[in-house]
PDB file of all heavy atoms in Angstrom:
ATOM      1  N   VAL A  73     146.307 163.722 146.310  1.00 86.00           N
ATOM      2  CA  VAL A  73     145.354 164.680 146.861  1.00 86.00           C
ATOM      3  C   VAL A  73     145.814 166.107 146.586  1.00 86.00           C
ATOM      4  O   VAL A  73     145.020 166.972 146.207  1.00 86.00           O
ATOM      5  CB  VAL A  73     145.150 164.433 148.372  1.00 86.00           C
ATOM      6  CG1 VAL A  73     144.387 165.565 149.014  1.00 86.00           C
ATOM      7  CG2 VAL A  73     144.444 163.114 148.602  1.00 86.00           C
ATOM      8  N   GLY A  74     147.096 166.352 146.748  1.00 86.00           N
ATOM      9  CA  GLY A  74     147.638 167.690 146.481  1.00 86.00           C
ATOM     10  C   GLY A  74     147.449 168.109 145.040  1.00 86.00           C
ATOM     11  O   GLY A  74     147.055 169.248 144.756  1.00 86.00           O
ATOM     12  N   VAL A  75     147.710 167.201 144.117  1.00 88.00           N
ATOM     13  CA  VAL A  75     147.524 167.516 142.699  1.00 88.00           C
ATOM     14  C   VAL A  75     146.044 167.771 142.404  1.00 88.00           C
ATOM     15  O   VAL A  75     145.703 168.696 141.666  1.00 88.00           O
ATOM     16  CB  VAL A  75     148.079 166.384 141.809  1.00 88.00           C
ATOM     17  CG1 VAL A  75     147.737 166.615 140.354  1.00 88.00           C
ATOM     18  CG2 VAL A  75     149.580 166.266 141.976  1.00 88.00           C
ATOM     19  N   GLY A  76     145.163 166.981 143.005  1.00 89.00           N
ATOM     20  CA  GLY A  76     143.728 167.187 142.809  1.00 89.00           C
ATOM     21  C   GLY A  76     143.268 168.536 143.334  1.00 89.00           C
ATOM     22  O   GLY A  76     142.451 169.215 142.717  1.00 89.00           O
ATOM     23  N   ILE A  77     143.817 168.952 144.466  1.00 90.00           N
ATOM     24  CA  ILE A  77     143.452 170.248 145.038  1.00 90.00           C
ATOM     25  C   ILE A  77     143.971 171.390 144.178  1.00 90.00           C
ATOM     26  O   ILE A  77     143.253 172.356 143.905  1.00 90.00           O
ATOM     27  CB  ILE A  77     143.941 170.348 146.484  1.00 90.00           C
ATOM     28  CG1 ILE A  77     143.050 169.493 147.371  1.00 90.00           C
ATOM     29  CG2 ILE A  77     143.968 171.783 146.969  1.00 90.00           C
ATOM     30  CD1 ILE A  77     143.474 169.413 148.796  1.00 90.00           C
ATOM     31  N   VAL A  78     145.211 171.282 143.734  1.00 90.00           N
ATOM     32  CA  VAL A  78     145.767 172.331 142.868  1.00 90.00           C
ATOM     33  C   VAL A  78     144.953 172.434 141.588  1.00 90.00           C
ATOM     34  O   VAL A  78     144.604 173.540 141.148  1.00 90.00           O
ATOM     35  CB  VAL A  78     147.255 172.051 142.564  1.00 90.00           C
ATOM     36  CG1 VAL A  78     147.767 172.946 141.464  1.00 90.00           C
ATOM     37  CG2 VAL A  78     148.086 172.222 143.826  1.00 90.00           C
ATOM     38  N   TRP A  79     144.621 171.300 141.000  1.00 92.00           N
ATOM     39  CA  TRP A  79     143.821 171.296 139.777  1.00 92.00           C
ATOM     40  C   TRP A  79     142.453 171.933 140.035  1.00 92.00           C
ATOM     41  O   TRP A  79     141.991 172.780 139.263  1.00 92.00           O
ATOM     42  CB  TRP A  79     143.671 169.868 139.282  1.00 92.00           C
ATOM     43  CG  TRP A  79     142.873 169.696 138.021  1.00 92.00           C
ATOM     44  CD1 TRP A  79     142.570 170.649 137.090  1.00 92.00           C
ATOM     45  CD2 TRP A  79     142.301 168.491 137.549  1.00 92.00           C
ATOM     46  NE1 TRP A  79     141.832 170.101 136.072  1.00 92.00           N
ATOM     47  CE2 TRP A  79     141.667 168.768 136.328  1.00 92.00           C
ATOM     48  CE3 TRP A  79     142.266 167.198 138.039  1.00 92.00           C
ATOM     49  CZ2 TRP A  79     140.996 167.801 135.598  1.00 92.00           C
ATOM     50  CZ3 TRP A  79     141.594 166.230 137.294  1.00 92.00           C
ATOM     51  CH2 TRP A  79     140.973 166.531 136.091  1.00 92.00           C
ATOM     52  N   SER A  80     141.822 171.569 141.125  1.00 92.00           N
ATOM     53  CA  SER A  80     140.498 172.101 141.442  1.00 92.00           C
ATOM     54  C   SER A  80     140.537 173.611 141.693  1.00 92.00           C
ATOM     55  O   SER A  80     139.676 174.349 141.210  1.00 92.00           O
ATOM     56  CB  SER A  80     139.930 171.388 142.659  1.00 92.00           C
ATOM     57  OG  SER A  80     138.712 171.941 143.022  1.00 92.00           O
ATOM     58  N   LEU A  81     141.531 174.067 142.443  1.00 91.00           N
ATOM     59  CA  LEU A  81     141.620 175.505 142.726  1.00 91.00           C
ATOM     60  C   LEU A  81     141.925 176.312 141.462  1.00 91.00           C
ATOM     61  O   LEU A  81     141.360 177.389 141.263  1.00 91.00           O
ATOM     62  CB  LEU A  81     142.662 175.775 143.813  1.00 91.00           C
ATOM     63  CG  LEU A  81     142.286 175.313 145.220  1.00 91.00           C
ATOM     64  CD1 LEU A  81     143.440 175.549 146.178  1.00 91.00           C
ATOM     65  CD2 LEU A  81     141.029 175.995 145.700  1.00 91.00           C
ATOM     66  N   LEU A  82     142.804 175.801 140.615  1.00 93.00           N
ATOM     67  CA  LEU A  82     143.093 176.508 139.358  1.00 93.00           C
ATOM     68  C   LEU A  82     141.861 176.517 138.446  1.00 93.00           C
ATOM     69  O   LEU A  82     141.568 177.536 137.802  1.00 93.00           O
ATOM     70  CB  LEU A  82     144.282 175.872 138.653  1.00 93.00           C
ATOM     71  CG  LEU A  82     145.643 176.096 139.295  1.00 93.00           C
ATOM     72  CD1 LEU A  82     146.717 175.294 138.564  1.00 93.00           C
ATOM     73  CD2 LEU A  82     146.001 177.565 139.332  1.00 93.00           C
ATOM     74  N   ASP A  83     141.140 175.418 138.405  1.00 93.00           N
ATOM     75  CA  ASP A  83     139.931 175.348 137.586  1.00 93.00           C
ATOM     76  C   ASP A  83     138.864 176.310 138.114  1.00 93.00           C
ATOM     77  O   ASP A  83     138.209 177.007 137.335  1.00 93.00           O
ATOM     78  CB  ASP A  83     139.413 173.913 137.568  1.00 93.00           C
ATOM     79  CG  ASP A  83     138.389 173.688 136.492  1.00 93.00           C
ATOM     80  OD1 ASP A  83     138.696 173.975 135.315  1.00 93.00           O
ATOM     81  OD2 ASP A  83     137.278 173.239 136.819  1.00 93.00           O
ATOM     82  N   SER A  84     138.712 176.367 139.430  1.00 90.00           N
ATOM     83  CA  SER A  84     137.753 177.304 140.029  1.00 90.00           C
ATOM     84  C   SER A  84     138.163 178.748 139.765  1.00 90.00           C
ATOM     85  O   SER A  84     137.321 179.611 139.537  1.00 90.00           O
ATOM     86  CB  SER A  84     137.639 177.067 141.530  1.00 90.00           C
ATOM     87  OG  SER A  84     137.176 175.772 141.794  1.00 90.00           O
ATOM     88  N   LEU A  85     139.476 179.007 139.809  1.00 91.00           N
ATOM     89  CA  LEU A  85     139.964 180.354 139.518  1.00 91.00           C
ATOM     90  C   LEU A  85     139.655 180.741 138.076  1.00 91.00           C
ATOM     91  O   LEU A  85     139.238 181.876 137.810  1.00 91.00           O
ATOM     92  CB  LEU A  85     141.463 180.441 139.795  1.00 91.00           C
ATOM     93  CG  LEU A  85     142.083 181.816 139.675  1.00 91.00           C
ATOM     94  CD1 LEU A  85     141.508 182.759 140.724  1.00 91.00           C
ATOM     95  CD2 LEU A  85     143.592 181.726 139.837  1.00 91.00           C
ATOM     96  N   LEU A  86     139.832 179.817 137.144  1.00 91.00           N
ATOM     97  CA  LEU A  86     139.464 180.096 135.748  1.00 91.00           C
ATOM     98  C   LEU A  86     137.973 180.403 135.631  1.00 91.00           C
ATOM     99  O   LEU A  86     137.578 181.289 134.870  1.00 91.00           O
ATOM    100  CB  LEU A  86     139.824 178.907 134.855  1.00 91.00           C
ATOM    101  CG  LEU A  86     141.295 178.731 134.512  1.00 91.00           C
ATOM    102  CD1 LEU A  86     141.505 177.435 133.736  1.00 91.00           C
ATOM    103  CD2 LEU A  86     141.806 179.908 133.725  1.00 91.00           C
ATOM    104  N   LEU A  87     137.156 179.703 136.390  1.00 87.00           N
ATOM    105  CA  LEU A  87     135.714 179.952 136.380  1.00 87.00           C
ATOM    106  C   LEU A  87     135.396 181.352 136.891  1.00 87.00           C
ATOM    107  O   LEU A  87     134.635 182.098 136.268  1.00 87.00           O
ATOM    108  CB  LEU A  87     134.995 178.907 137.235  1.00 87.00           C
ATOM    109  CG  LEU A  87     133.505 179.124 137.447  1.00 87.00           C
ATOM    110  CD1 LEU A  87     132.749 178.747 136.190  1.00 87.00           C
ATOM    111  CD2 LEU A  87     133.014 178.339 138.632  1.00 87.00           C
ATOM    112  N   VAL A  88     136.000 181.738 138.010  1.00 85.00           N
ATOM    113  CA  VAL A  88     135.745 183.065 138.587  1.00 85.00           C
ATOM    114  C   VAL A  88     136.224 184.163 137.636  1.00 85.00           C
ATOM    115  O   VAL A  88     135.529 185.161 137.416  1.00 85.00           O
ATOM    116  CB  VAL A  88     136.416 183.186 139.973  1.00 85.00           C
ATOM    117  CG1 VAL A  88     136.397 184.613 140.470  1.00 85.00           C
ATOM    118  CG2 VAL A  88     135.728 182.273 140.969  1.00 85.00           C
ATOM    119  N   ILE A  89     137.394 183.973 137.047  1.00 87.00           N
ATOM    120  CA  ILE A  89     137.916 184.971 136.111  1.00 87.00           C
ATOM    121  C   ILE A  89     137.007 185.093 134.888  1.00 87.00           C
ATOM    122  O   ILE A  89     136.745 186.200 134.412  1.00 87.00           O
ATOM    123  CB  ILE A  89     139.360 184.619 135.699  1.00 87.00           C
ATOM    124  CG1 ILE A  89     140.306 184.848 136.880  1.00 87.00           C
ATOM    125  CG2 ILE A  89     139.812 185.428 134.492  1.00 87.00           C
ATOM    126  CD1 ILE A  89     141.704 184.327 136.650  1.00 87.00           C
ATOM    127  N   SER A  90     136.496 183.977 134.394  1.00 85.00           N
ATOM    128  CA  SER A  90     135.609 184.057 133.224  1.00 85.00           C
ATOM    129  C   SER A  90     134.302 184.766 133.569  1.00 85.00           C
ATOM    130  O   SER A  90     133.747 185.476 132.730  1.00 85.00           O
ATOM    131  CB  SER A  90     135.337 182.663 132.666  1.00 85.00           C
ATOM    132  OG  SER A  90     134.560 181.908 133.565  1.00 85.00           O
ATOM    133  N   ILE A  91     133.821 184.604 134.805  1.00 79.00           N
ATOM    134  CA  ILE A  91     132.613 185.335 135.219  1.00 79.00           C
ATOM    135  C   ILE A  91     132.898 186.826 135.242  1.00 79.00           C
ATOM    136  O   ILE A  91     132.100 187.638 134.759  1.00 79.00           O
ATOM    137  CB  ILE A  91     132.125 184.846 136.596  1.00 79.00           C
ATOM    138  CG1 ILE A  91     131.559 183.439 136.487  1.00 79.00           C
ATOM    139  CG2 ILE A  91     131.060 185.787 137.167  1.00 79.00           C
ATOM    140  CD1 ILE A  91     131.242 182.801 137.820  1.00 79.00           C
ATOM    141  N   LEU A  92     134.047 187.207 135.786  1.00 82.00           N
ATOM    142  CA  LEU A  92     134.380 188.629 135.863  1.00 82.00           C
ATOM    143  C   LEU A  92     134.603 189.233 134.479  1.00 82.00           C
ATOM    144  O   LEU A  92     134.241 190.384 134.236  1.00 82.00           O
ATOM    145  CB  LEU A  92     135.618 188.831 136.742  1.00 82.00           C
ATOM    146  CG  LEU A  92     135.420 188.511 138.224  1.00 82.00           C
ATOM    147  CD1 LEU A  92     136.735 188.639 138.968  1.00 82.00           C
ATOM    148  CD2 LEU A  92     134.351 189.391 138.830  1.00 82.00           C
ATOM    149  N   LYS A  93     135.188 188.474 133.563  1.00 82.00           N
ATOM    150  CA  LYS A  93     135.374 188.968 132.203  1.00 82.00           C
ATOM    151  C   LYS A  93     134.045 189.094 131.466  1.00 82.00           C
ATOM    152  O   LYS A  93     133.912 189.863 130.528  1.00 82.00           O
ATOM    153  CB  LYS A  93     136.302 188.044 131.416  1.00 82.00           C
ATOM    154  CG  LYS A  93     137.753 188.204 131.750  1.00 82.00           C
ATOM    155  CD  LYS A  93     138.591 187.325 130.856  1.00 82.00           C
ATOM    156  CE  LYS A  93     140.072 187.484 131.139  1.00 82.00           C
ATOM    157  NZ  LYS A  93     140.871 186.603 130.278  1.00 82.00           N
ATOM    158  N   GLY A  94     133.049 188.337 131.900  1.00 77.00           N
ATOM    159  CA  GLY A  94     131.748 188.355 131.244  1.00 77.00           C
ATOM    160  C   GLY A  94     130.957 189.623 131.477  1.00 77.00           C
ATOM    161  O   GLY A  94     129.914 189.828 130.878  1.00 77.00           O
ATOM    162  N   PHE A  95     131.434 190.508 132.367  1.00 75.00           N
ATOM    163  CA  PHE A  95     130.729 191.760 132.615  1.00 75.00           C
ATOM    164  C   PHE A  95     130.879 192.750 131.479  1.00 75.00           C
ATOM    165  O   PHE A  95     130.080 193.662 131.345  1.00 75.00           O
ATOM    166  CB  PHE A  95     131.232 192.413 133.901  1.00 75.00           C
ATOM    167  CG  PHE A  95     130.790 191.703 135.131  1.00 75.00           C
ATOM    168  CD1 PHE A  95     131.712 191.306 136.072  1.00 75.00           C
ATOM    169  CD2 PHE A  95     129.457 191.426 135.346  1.00 75.00           C
ATOM    170  CE1 PHE A  95     131.315 190.649 137.209  1.00 75.00           C
ATOM    171  CE2 PHE A  95     129.048 190.770 136.482  1.00 75.00           C
ATOM    172  CZ  PHE A  95     129.984 190.377 137.415  1.00 75.00           C
ATOM    173  N   ASN A  96     131.907 192.596 130.686  1.00 76.00           N
ATOM    174  CA  ASN A  96     132.122 193.506 129.563  1.00 76.00           C
ATOM    175  C   ASN A  96     131.053 193.269 128.506  1.00 76.00           C
ATOM    176  O   ASN A  96     130.670 192.142 128.219  1.00 76.00           O
ATOM    177  CB  ASN A  96     133.506 193.289 128.950  1.00 76.00           C
ATOM    178  CG  ASN A  96     134.610 193.488 129.951  1.00 76.00           C
ATOM    179  OD1 ASN A  96     134.449 194.220 130.924  1.00 76.00           O
ATOM    180  ND2 ASN A  96     135.726 192.831 129.735  1.00 76.00           N
ATOM    181  N   ARG A  97     130.586 194.360 127.940  1.00 77.00           N
ATOM    182  CA  ARG A  97     129.602 194.251 126.852  1.00 77.00           C
ATOM    183  C   ARG A  97     130.316 193.694 125.633  1.00 77.00           C
ATOM    184  O   ARG A  97     131.367 194.183 125.232  1.00 77.00           O
ATOM    185  CB  ARG A  97     129.019 195.620 126.513  1.00 77.00           C
ATOM    186  CG  ARG A  97     128.303 196.257 127.656  1.00 77.00           C
ATOM    187  CD  ARG A  97     126.966 195.624 127.846  1.00 77.00           C
ATOM    188  NE  ARG A  97     126.280 196.268 128.953  1.00 77.00           N
ATOM    189  CZ  ARG A  97     125.289 195.724 129.586  1.00 77.00           C
ATOM    190  NH1 ARG A  97     124.853 194.552 129.226  1.00 77.00           N
ATOM    191  NH2 ARG A  97     124.715 196.351 130.577  1.00 77.00           N
ATOM    192  N   MET A  98     129.736 192.660 125.041  1.00 79.00           N
ATOM    193  CA  MET A  98     130.348 192.081 123.856  1.00 79.00           C
ATOM    194  C   MET A  98     129.270 191.455 122.987  1.00 79.00           C
ATOM    195  O   MET A  98     128.166 191.181 123.461  1.00 79.00           O
ATOM    196  CB  MET A  98     131.408 191.048 124.244  1.00 79.00           C
ATOM    197  CG  MET A  98     130.903 189.864 125.023  1.00 79.00           C
ATOM    198  SD  MET A  98     132.206 188.788 125.574  1.00 79.00           S
ATOM    199  CE  MET A  98     132.614 189.567 127.106  1.00 79.00           C
TER     200      MET A  98
END
Side-chain angles (χ1 to χ4, degrees):
V73 169
V75 173
I77 286 176
V78 168
W79 180 19
S80 176
L81 290 176
L82 289 175
D83 194 55
S84 299
L85 186 64
L86 284 175
L87 174 76
V88 169
I89 289 171
S90 68
I91 290 172
L92 293 175
K93 283 184 179 179
F95 288 127
N96 302 334
R97 299 284 181 199
M98 62 185 87

